[in-house]
Amino acid sequence: MTTINLDFAEELKEYSDDTALECFNCGTCAAICPLVHDNFPRRMIRYIQVGAREKILENSDELWRCLHCGLCTHTCPREADPGEIILGLKRFVVANWRRS
Amino acid sequence: MFNPRDIIETLANNVKQTTSPFGIPKFMVNKWFKDLSLPKEGEYMLITGLMYQFAPFIEKSTQYLEKYEGTKMASLLKYAKYMPGYLSGIGLAMMTSGKEKKDAGQPLKDIALLLQKSKVDFGYRPDLDNYSGILLYDMGDQKGFVVHAKKVAQKLKDAGIKKIITVDPHTAYAIKELFPKYTGISFEVKSYFELLDLESKDLGLEVTIHDPCFFGRYLKLSDIPRKVLGNLGITESEIRNKGEFTSCCGGPAESISPSLSNEIMGKRVEELTICLGNLKKSGADVEDLSTLLVRHI
Ligand code: SF4
Ligand code: SF4
């Protein structure tokens, strides 16, 4: 079962601007991302919105497929800055490893 | 796919120990300037950030990673962090042929020549020319990046440097955008092609331009190379996804998953520095902007 962590968005503030709540899940970013796999990066942003911290840690390897190419951010209609969100998640995961 | 944690910790350790992500000592990679007599000072300081110099080593290490991706050997990588950075780096340097290393320096020589022809007043000091740390930033090792960037920026500041010329998009982005934000030290940064002022010609050539992500989207500089080429009578054939909408060459995925990088690159080449190495690998007839320009001045 996935546990929901309501303070997750707060925790992430340390690693990037909290723009994830701007996202209305239109999927434009996932359509343009050169990775074109499994709804990336939209799915990760959804995980943040619903506080699925563990899901992100479980699937963290996927984050490093992101090329930081910026196409998603460039086309996002809501200025949610998905590219920076993914970078922020990488920082969160790295910090998490180093703590463990 | 490799375990990102092993790769990131290996790169981070290498940067910490040797200031190079691949653990190759600087004097072994940075040789391009040796037979040019470049001045040590000028209005601008040329900072290559060593990305061109690393290119053949990235290629070599990717070939090895590619071979082991998805095999049992891939899991051995985690032990790499126990190897001193220099040791693994020198190994990598020895596996890379002299010709590959020499070719990597050519664009830098070409760039220096183009700048001289354009009468730009610049100097070069290998002791100040360091890796920017951009890979650590991209990989999410924020702490490691900031520590490294502070050292590099401080050194430049102590030497009284105010204006910098960069040659690749990743170093340009690091010094122009990230250094002020994370080290508090700012420089005036120009990409070399912004300063070119070459004699006009009418060559009547046509080329296709691949805009690196960092030039096209992050630094919004894609119209400048087009102006420089236009001045020489070189026009651009149409390609889908250019300028701010440029597609990725796939290079940055290389160290984590060479097969994924190949997949992305294949897509780009059907339409048409890290990009260069990666696009070449697919067999396309590509060359660096500087090589093209030098041939025609
Ligand atoms: S494009 Fe923007 S708004 Fe749409 S799903 Fe992606 S992040 Fe959300
Ligand atoms: S920055 Fe990452 S998530 Fe966004 S389009 Fe590029 S590869 Fe995909």
Side-chain angles (χ1 to χ4, degrees):
Chain A
M1 210 187 76
T2 311
T3 44
I4 301 295
N5 186 327
L6 296 176
D7 302 326
F8 187 42
E10 200 55 39
E11 184 183 354
L12 282 180
K13 277 190 189 158
E14 194 186 320
Y15 306 102
S16 67
D17 294 338
D18 58 342
T19 48
L21 296 178
E22 296 297 321
C23 165
F24 63 169
N25 278 285
C26 68
T28 308
C29 54
I32 200 160
C33 174
L35 303 175
V36 287
H37 287 298
D38 306 324
N39 258 306
F40 192 88
R42 190 190 66 93
R43 190 165 38 87
M44 291 289 170
I45 299 167
R46 191 72 189 138
Y47 288 152
I48 300 176
Q49 291 177 333
V50 301
R53 186 180 186 275
E54 297 312 312
K55 273 275 181 208
I56 288 176
L57 289 173
E58 268 165 41
N59 296 291
S60 65
D61 282 7
E62 275 180 44
L63 296 170
W64 279 276
R65 299 172 73 116
C66 166
L67 311 146
H68 201 39
C69 73
L71 268 172
C72 51
T73 290
H74 201 73
T75 47
C76 172
R78 298 274 294 179
E79 298 188 9
D81 208 344
E84 281 303 303
I85 295 177
I86 296 298
L87 184 58
L89 286 177
K90 289 181 187 172
R91 291 178 188 144
F92 156 73
V93 173
V94 170
N96 218 68
W97 288 336
R98 290 187 177 164
R99 264 201 304 271
S100 62
Chain B
M1 179 149 151
F2 288 92
N3 176 352
R5 187 171 182 171
D6 298 337
I7 304 250
I8 292 160
E9 296 304 357
T10 305
L11 294 175
N13 270 314
N14 281 343
V15 171
K16 227 186 270 168
Q17 293 172 2
T18 69
T19 76
S20 140
F22 310 100
I24 307 161
K26 195 161 96 173
F27 72 88
M28 284 181 80
V29 279
N30 195 26
K31 296 182 177 168
W32 68 277
F33 57 91
K34 295 228 155 118
D35 39 354
L36 310 174
S37 44
L38 296 174
K40 294 234 170 271
E41 48 195 72
E43 184 189 351
Y44 290 93
M45 186 55 62
L46 178 62
I47 300 292
T48 72
L50 308 182
M51 295 293 278
Y52 273 95
Q53 295 89 319
F54 286 144
F57 304 102
I58 298 177
E59 207 170 303
K60 193 50 74 178
S61 64
T62 312
Q63 281 168 13
Y64 280 86
L65 288 173
E66 207 161 8
K67 223 159 98 192
Y68 295 123
E69 186 175 19
T71 70
K72 270 193 207 140
M73 288 295 281
S75 61
L76 289 178
L77 190 76
K78 61 170 155 299
Y79 300 108
K81 66 169 173 275
Y82 300 113
M83 241 213 270
Y86 272 126
L87 219 61
S88 53
I90 290 170
L92 191 58
M94 288 195 314
M95 288 185 306
T96 309
S97 75
K99 182 174 178 312
E100 287 167 302
K101 283 179 254 185
K102 222 173 165 176
D103 287 353
Q106 195 55 49
L108 297 170
K109 290 188 189 172
D110 292 346
I111 288 167
L113 181 69
L114 290 167
L115 288 169
Q116 281 170 338
K117 287 255 180 209
S118 305
K119 306 207 168 38
V120 178
D121 175 20
F122 72 99
Y124 183 68
R125 275 180 54 185
D127 60 317
L128 293 178
D129 192 6
N130 288 301
Y131 175 59
S132 68
I134 186 75
L135 202 54
L136 297 183
Y137 176 83
D138 282 348
M139 294 225 157
D141 180 6
Q142 187 65 9
K143 259 195 201 143
F145 168 72
V146 174
V147 170
H148 179 77
K150 277 188 178 151
K151 274 190 233 159
V152 175
Q154 192 61 48
K155 224 173 157 187
L156 288 166
K157 190 180 170 196
D158 291 346
I161 307 301
K162 296 204 168 63
K163 292 182 168 186
I164 286 175
I165 303 177
T166 57
V167 297
D168 77 275
H170 298 267
T171 307
Y173 182 69
I175 304 183
K176 195 169 174 176
E177 307 283 333
L178 302 177
F179 279 21
K181 200 161 158 194
Y182 298 108
T183 71
I185 303 174
S186 307
F187 303 96
E188 186 185 323
V189 182
K190 294 270 185 224
S191 290
Y192 79 90
F193 52 75
E194 292 180 83
L195 297 167
L196 296 187
D197 180 14
L198 303 167
E199 217 179 294
S200 332
K201 278 194 182 154
D202 190 12
L203 292 165
L205 279 173
E206 197 183 75
V207 296
T208 307
I209 303 175
H210 163 69
D211 294 293
C213 298
F214 277 72
F215 276 153
R217 250 189 309 283
Y218 291 94
L219 298 166
K220 308 229 182 317
L221 290 176
S222 10
D223 50 331
I224 299 167
R226 291 179 171 77
K227 271 187 211 142
V228 176
L229 289 171
N231 196 31
L232 293 173
I234 302 177
T235 52
E236 187 193 5
S237 61
E238 277 309 307
I239 180 172
R240 203 164 67 84
N241 305 342
K242 62 182 186 181
E244 286 186 42
F245 287 94
T246 181
S247 293
C248 183
C249 73
E254 257 182 354
S255 51
I256 300 284
S257 174
S259 60
L260 171 68
S261 165
N262 285 343
E263 194 186 307
I264 297 169
M265 170 179 73
K267 277 193 207 137
R268 183 57 174 164
V269 169
E270 275 164 31
E271 304 162 13
L272 163 160
T273 7
I274 292 178
C275 306
L276 179 67
N278 222 36
L279 293 173
K280 252 190 197 155
K281 235 172 53 181
S282 74
D285 177 19
V286 277
E287 62 184 357
D288 197 86
L289 177 66
S290 63
T291 319
L292 174 69
L293 290 175
V294 151
R295 212 155 8 89
H296 296 296
I297 52 169

